[in-house]
Amino acid sequence: MFWDRISPLYDLFENLYNRKVYTGTGKKVAELIDPSDEVLECACGTGAISIYAAQKCRKLIATDFAPGMLRQAAKKCRKYPNVTFRKADITHIRCRDGRFDKAVAGNVIHLLPEPEKALQELVRVVKPGGKIIIPTYINLTKGSANAAVKFIALLGADFRRQFDLNSYKCFFEKMGYTGAEYYVVEGRMPCAIAVITKTMQAT
């Protein structure tokens, strides 16, 4: 698996190329989390968001499909006893409905062949009134960012779609998720963070 192969080098690449956004996204997501929250994070990768979320929430269950990524994330977050790491599929989350206060899925939606299934699962596992927080690089915003994505794709990543801010908003609206809030972390490759409240879920 591509993400297993690159897991030892992923943080190095991100920090060299896009450090401001890589760390800034985690900090912004943490601002959206409350101390009493139980949080599910899907596609946690090497824990770039996990490490900030863990410092804010009561409990964090961080998941990824790639064991290599989970190992790196566990090392990064080892001093936080409120974090549990599990292998999981974002399109088939094995937990009861309405368990979590917040669900986070960073930089994964653009990789999925059926992102609507992932969104349905994220909505399902969040409590009524809870929030789904979805950060995604908007690499079409800058030419240099698009070039970086092409390079990563040549290494083996499978990008199903690419966004700028407008197309990112349209992506959710077309699936029925209207009224979401959006934040942008600016940098070499900006990241847009969509925040969907469960009462706004598609029907």
Side-chain angles (χ1 to χ4, degrees):
M1 181 187 289
F2 169 76
W3 300 106
D4 271 328
R5 293 198 309 271
I6 69 160
S7 59
L9 300 174
Y10 188 78
D11 281 340
L12 177 63
F13 170 78
E14 287 281 9
N15 283 315
L16 286 173
Y17 177 76
N18 205 34
R19 181 179 179 85
K20 180 181 177 182
V21 178
Y22 194 52
T23 59
T25 298
K27 291 176 181 178
K28 184 61 185 179
V29 170
E31 290 177 11
L32 302 169
I33 292 172
D34 297 316
S36 61
D37 284 345
E38 184 170 357
V39 179
L40 172 70
E41 183 184 3
C42 294
C44 68
T46 60
I49 293 173
S50 316
I51 196 168
Y52 292 103
Q55 297 172 53
K56 284 291 297 289
C57 67
R58 179 174 60 84
K59 183 176 181 180
L60 172 65
I61 297 178
T63 70
D64 201 285
F65 197 67
M69 289 291 192
L70 286 171
R71 284 193 293 271
Q72 297 299 321
K75 289 178 187 177
K76 189 177 293 180
C77 297
R78 60 183 174 270
K79 71 176 184 177
Y80 299 107
N82 60 330
V83 184
T84 301
F85 290 94
R86 297 177 184 170
K87 183 179 178 181
D89 178 356
I90 191 174
T91 63
H92 186 65
I93 301 169
R94 294 186 177 181
C95 76
R96 59 179 169 79
D97 296 359
R99 174 176 173 181
F100 297 97
D101 300 287
K102 307 278 168 59
V104 180
N107 289 307
V108 67
I109 291 296
H110 59 298
L111 301 173
L112 302 173
E114 297 179 293
E116 65 280 357
K117 288 186 177 181
L119 285 165
Q120 288 166 5
E121 280 289 270
L122 292 168
V123 169
R124 179 184 67 78
V125 300
V126 165
K127 297 173 182 177
K131 295 184 183 298
I132 300 92
I133 304 167
I134 308 176
T136 302
Y137 288 133
I138 46 174
N139 55 284
L140 291 178
T141 302
K142 297 183 178 181
S144 61
N146 196 24
V149 168
K150 289 179 179 178
F151 171 72
I152 297 168
L154 285 173
L155 295 177
D158 187 8
F159 291 87
R160 301 301 180 113
R161 54 192 56 78
Q162 298 180 50
F163 300 106
D164 58 20
L165 182 57
N166 286 334
S167 61
Y168 193 54
K169 291 179 178 180
C170 289
F171 170 77
F172 291 104
E173 288 169 1
K174 285 179 180 177
M175 287 191 286
Y177 299 93
T178 58
E181 299 174 84
Y182 294 89
Y183 304 90
V184 177
V185 181
E186 296 287 358
R188 198 169 184 182
M189 186 187 294
C191 185
I193 303 173
V195 183
I196 299 168
T197 300
K198 185 164 183 175
T199 55
M200 293 186 278
Q201 65 183 286
T203 57

